[in-house]
C-alpha cells in the first residue's frame, strides 16, 4: 500500500468548526438553563423559602424592590421597601448586610436615644472585617445628623414605630438563633435572602437559577409579579417558545382588569397627588393633570392637562429634564390664579417620573408648611433642600422610587442659575 493510501492519524485531522460548534453548544445549553420556565420555577422555590422564614418568626412579608415582589404572592405581601444593592453579591446583597443595619441603627439613635442597647450597628456575624465594621460605626452619628436635617416629624415616626428595631438574618444556610423571636421590647426585622447559592453554572443545578427574579426587563417579556402569581398553572404548562405570546396576552388582560385606584396625597401639601396612568381614574376628580408619558399632541387644546411625552426608563428620565420648564410654567400659571386647585401627576408606574415631576414642583413652589407660594420659584435650591422635599414624597407614598437618572435630571434643572 502506497503512502497515499495510508489512513490519516487522529493528530493529522483538523476540524476548523469544532471549537465554534462546542462554544455554540455551550451557549445554547446555558440559554436553555436560563429559560423563562426555569426562572419561574426557581422563583417559586425561593418564594416557598421566604414564606417558611415568615412562618418561623410569625412576621408579615415585605418585598425589597425592585425584584422582591417576584418572591411573594400578592395575597401574602404586606408592603414594599426600596433598599438598593450596589455590589455583585453571592450570598447576601449589601442592602441586607449593610444598608438596612445602618438604617436601623440611625433610626434607633434618632428616635430612641435612651435605648442605647440598640444603637450599635448590628451586622451579620463573621461577614465583614473588623476594619470595615469600625468604619461603618464611625459614620453613624453623621447619618443621624443628616436624618434630623430632613425636618421630618420624628415625634410622629417614633409614635408609629413604638419601639426600637432589632435585626436578624435568614438565608439557606443560616437562621438566627432560636432565642431571638418577636418581643415586646423591640420590632424584629428579619432580612431574608431567598435564593440558594449556586456554586457552578446553572446547567449543573438542574435548571435552578440563583436570583431568578433579578433584571426582569431582560427576560420576562413584560411579565410582572402579579400576572405571574395569578397565572402560575398556565405559565408552567406552556412550552417555552409559546411563552412570549402568552405573556403578551396575559399582561394585556391584566391591564384591562385593573381597578382604578385613588391617587396618593403628598403631605404636607393639600392639593398635590401622585399615581400611575393605569391605576388612577382622573376623570373630573382632579382640577389639573400632568401625565409624564402621555402624548403632548393629545391635549394641546386642554388647559387643564399637560402631557410631557416622556419615553420609558432611562430615556424618559432624560426626556424629563427637557420638560420641567413646561411644568414650571403650567403650575405657576394655573396655581398662581387659584392655589386651591388639585393637581394629579402620573407616569407609567406612579413611582418614577411622576415622583421626579412632583419633586420639582414642591421644590419650586411650596413652603415648609406645604402651601403654594409662587414667589418661591426663583429661590436658590441646594441638594440638601431637594433631599428634604424628596422626604415628603417618600413619607407620603412608601413605594415611590425615582431612579438615579430621574433625580439627576431634577437636580440639574433645579440647581441651574435662576433666570432673573
Amino acid at each position: 500500500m502506497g503512502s497515499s493510501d495510508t489512513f490519516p492519524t487522529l493528530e493529522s485531522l483538523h476540524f476548523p468548526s469544532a471549537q465554534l460548534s462546542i462554544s455554540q453548544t455551550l451557549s445554547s445549553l446555558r440559554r436553555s438553563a436560563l429559560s423563562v420556565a426555569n426562572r419561574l420555577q426557581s422563583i417559586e422555590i425561593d418564594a416557598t423559602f421566604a414564606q417558611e422564614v415568615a412562618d418561623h418568626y410569625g412576621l408579615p412579608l415585605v418585598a425589597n424592590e425592585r425584584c422582591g415582589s417576584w418572591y411573594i404572592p400578592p395575597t401574602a405581601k404586606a408592603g414594599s421597601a426600596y433598599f438598593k444593592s450596589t455590589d455583585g453579591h453571592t450570598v447576601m446583597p449589601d442592602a441586607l448586610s449593610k444598608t438596612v443595619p445602618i438604617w436601623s441603627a440611625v433610626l434607633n439613635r434618632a428616635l430612641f436615644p435612651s435605648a442605647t442597647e440598640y444603637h450599635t450597628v448590628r451586622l451579620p456575624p463573621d461577614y465583614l472585617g473588623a476594619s470595615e465594621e469600625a468604619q461603618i460605626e464611625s459614620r453613624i452619628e453623621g447619618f443621624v445628623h443628616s436624618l434630623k436635617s430632613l425636618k421630618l416629624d420624628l415625634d410622629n415616626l417614633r409614635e408609629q414605630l413604638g419601639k426600637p428595631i432589632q435585626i436578624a438574618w435568614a438565608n439557606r444556610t443560616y437562621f438566627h438563633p432560636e432565642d431571638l423571636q418577636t418581643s415586646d421590647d423591640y420590632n424584629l426585622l428579619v432580612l431574608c435572602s431567598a435564593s440558594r447559592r449556586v456554586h457552578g453554572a446553572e446547567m449543573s443545578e438542574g435548571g435552578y437559577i440563583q436570583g431568578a427574579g433579578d433584571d426582569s426587563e431582560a427576560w420576562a417579556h413584560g411579565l410582572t409579579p402579579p400576572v405571574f402569581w395569578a397565572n402560575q398553572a398556565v405559565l408552567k404548562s406552556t412550552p417555552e417558545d409559546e411563552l412570549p405570546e402568552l405573556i403578551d396576552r396575559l399582561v394585556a388582560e391584566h391591564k384591562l382588569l385593573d381597578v382604578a385606584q385613588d391617587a396618593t396625597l403628598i403631605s404636607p401639601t393639600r392639593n398635590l397627588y401622585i399615581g400611575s396612568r393605569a391605576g388612577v381614574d382622573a376623570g373630573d376628580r382632579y382640577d389639573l393633570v400632568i401625565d409624564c408619558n402621555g402624548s403632548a399632541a393629545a391635549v394641546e387644546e386642554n388647559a387643564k392637562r399637560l402631557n410631557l411625552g416622556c419615553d420609558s426608563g432611562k430615556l424618559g428620565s432624560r426626556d424629563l429634564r427637557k420638560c420641567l420648564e413646561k411644568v414650571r410654567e403650567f403650575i405657576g400659571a394655573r396655581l398662581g390664579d387659584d392655589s386651591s386647585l388639585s393637581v394629579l401627576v402620573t407616569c407609567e408606574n406612579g413611582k418614577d417620573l411622576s415622583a421626579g415631576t412632583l419633586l420639582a414642583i414642591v421644590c419650586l413652589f411650596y413652603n415648609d408648611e406645604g402651601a403654594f407660594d409662587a414667589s418661591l420659584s426663583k429661590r436658590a435650591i441646594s441638594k440638601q433642600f431637594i433631599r428634604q422635599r424628596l422626604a415628603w414624597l417618600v413619607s407620603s407614598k412608601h413605594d415611590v422610587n425615582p431612579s438615579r437618572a430621574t433625580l439627576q435630571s431634577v437636580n440639574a434643572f433645579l440647581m441651574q442659575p435662576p433666570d432673573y
Side-chain angles (χ1 to χ4, degrees):
M1 204 180 242
S3 60
S4 61
D5 297 322
T6 58
F7 292 106
T9 64
L10 183 62
E11 290 79 6
S12 68
L13 296 177
H14 298 279
F15 300 96
S17 64
Q19 186 64 38
L20 178 60
S21 177
I22 292 172
S23 175
Q24 289 175 331
T25 300
L26 290 174
S27 296
S28 177
L29 288 171
R30 189 171 189 276
R31 283 195 299 271
S32 177
L34 292 172
S35 66
V36 175
N38 281 351
R39 285 185 180 277
L40 298 182
Q41 181 179 356
S42 301
I43 286 170
E44 288 183 345
I45 293 170
D46 293 345
T48 298
F49 175 73
Q51 187 61 60
E52 289 173 354
V53 173
D55 293 342
H56 174 80
Y57 287 101
L59 293 172
L61 282 165
V62 176
N64 187 32
E65 309 295 6
R66 295 181 310 157
C67 67
S69 286
W70 285 104
Y71 305 103
I72 307 176
T75 54
K77 182 179 172 182
S80 291
Y82 284 89
F83 291 101
K84 298 181 181 180
S85 291
T86 58
D87 64 349
H89 56 277
T90 56
V91 179
M92 185 181 295
D94 63 351
L96 303 187
S97 64
K98 301 177 186 177
T99 307
V100 177
I102 291 170
W103 171 84
S104 299
V106 170
L107 282 181
N108 286 343
R109 292 192 191 192
L111 302 181
F112 306 98
S114 62
T116 55
E117 64 270 33
Y118 300 102
H119 288 185
T120 302
V121 183
R122 189 178 180 89
L123 297 165
D126 305 318
Y127 192 76
L128 302 178
S131 175
E132 186 172 4
E133 289 191 5
Q135 291 179 53
I136 290 173
E137 187 67 40
S138 69
R139 300 185 64 183
I140 300 303
E141 277 305 309
F143 295 148
V144 172
H145 176 76
S146 296
L147 172 62
K148 292 179 177 179
S149 71
L150 294 177
K151 300 182 179 179
L152 299 173
D153 187 348
L154 296 184
D155 291 334
N156 181 54
L157 185 57
R158 182 184 302 107
E159 183 177 347
Q160 291 185 53
L161 196 57
K163 47 193 175 183
I165 300 169
Q166 179 70 288
I167 296 289
W169 290 268
N171 60 36
R172 296 301 185 89
T173 59
Y174 174 81
F175 252 43
H176 204 277
E178 296 288 332
D179 60 352
L180 185 62
Q181 298 291 340
T182 55
S183 169
D184 293 334
D185 298 328
Y186 53 76
N187 291 296
L188 181 61
L189 182 59
V190 180
L191 308 177
C192 176
S193 185
S195 290
R196 170 166 57 86
R197 184 178 182 183
V198 172
H199 294 277
E202 288 80 5
M203 290 181 290
S204 66
E205 295 290 331
Y208 176 79
I209 302 171
Q210 177 182 338
D214 292 354
D215 301 319
S216 58
E217 297 89 348
W219 62 263
H221 302 285
L223 186 67
T224 61
V227 178
F228 161 60
W229 286 108
N231 298 277
Q232 283 176 274
V234 67
L235 288 165
K236 290 174 69 173
S237 63
T238 301
E240 181 76 19
D241 60 350
E242 298 177 17
L243 279 175
E245 183 178 351
L246 172 65
I247 290 170
D248 284 344
R249 177 169 61 82
L250 294 177
V251 170
E253 292 174 354
H254 183 78
K255 287 181 178 178
L256 290 174
L257 293 173
D258 265 351
V259 179
Q261 299 175 355
D262 289 338
T264 301
L265 173 67
I266 302 301
S267 297
T269 80
R270 293 171 289 281
N271 66 329
L272 298 183
Y273 296 82
I274 186 171
S276 67
R277 301 182 72 204
V280 175
D281 179 14
D284 296 324
R285 299 181 60 188
Y286 303 93
D287 300 312
L288 304 172
V289 177
I290 299 176
D291 184 348
C292 296
N293 300 110
S295 169
V299 293
E300 284 182 348
E301 304 302 321
N302 190 339
K304 293 185 176 181
R305 293 187 68 100
L306 174 65
N307 284 2
L308 302 183
C310 296
D311 206 332
S312 300
K314 290 184 178 180
L315 292 177
S317 297
R318 288 198 287 268
D319 291 340
L320 183 65
R321 169 68 179 87
K322 307 170 188 174
C323 298
L324 288 176
E325 185 57 44
K326 296 179 184 176
V327 173
R328 187 209 299 262
E329 294 171 359
F330 181 78
I331 293 297
R334 302 299 185 276
L335 294 191
D337 291 337
D338 183 355
S339 62
S340 69
L341 295 176
S342 60
V343 181
L344 170 66
V345 183
T346 69
C347 65
E348 286 181 335
N349 58 20
K351 303 174 184 179
D352 184 12
L353 297 183
S354 53
T357 302
L358 276 166
L359 177 58
I361 291 171
V362 296
C363 285
L364 287 169
F365 295 108
Y366 281 75
N367 63 24
D368 290 345
E369 287 71 44
F372 177 86
D373 184 345
S375 68
L376 299 175
S377 63
K378 296 296 185 179
R379 63 185 165 189
I381 294 175
S382 66
K383 285 187 177 180
Q384 177 61 20
F385 180 79
I386 296 172
R387 283 194 288 267
Q388 291 173 357
R389 290 298 190 258
L390 179 59
W392 288 10
L393 275 72
V394 176
S395 299
S396 302
K397 190 174 190 293
H398 297 164
D399 62 350
V400 159
N401 185 37
S403 67
R404 183 186 301 272
T406 294
L407 291 176
Q408 287 174 340
S409 290
V410 175
N411 285 354
F413 175 77
L414 292 176
M415 296 178 67
Q416 63 187 346
D419 182 18
Y420 292 105

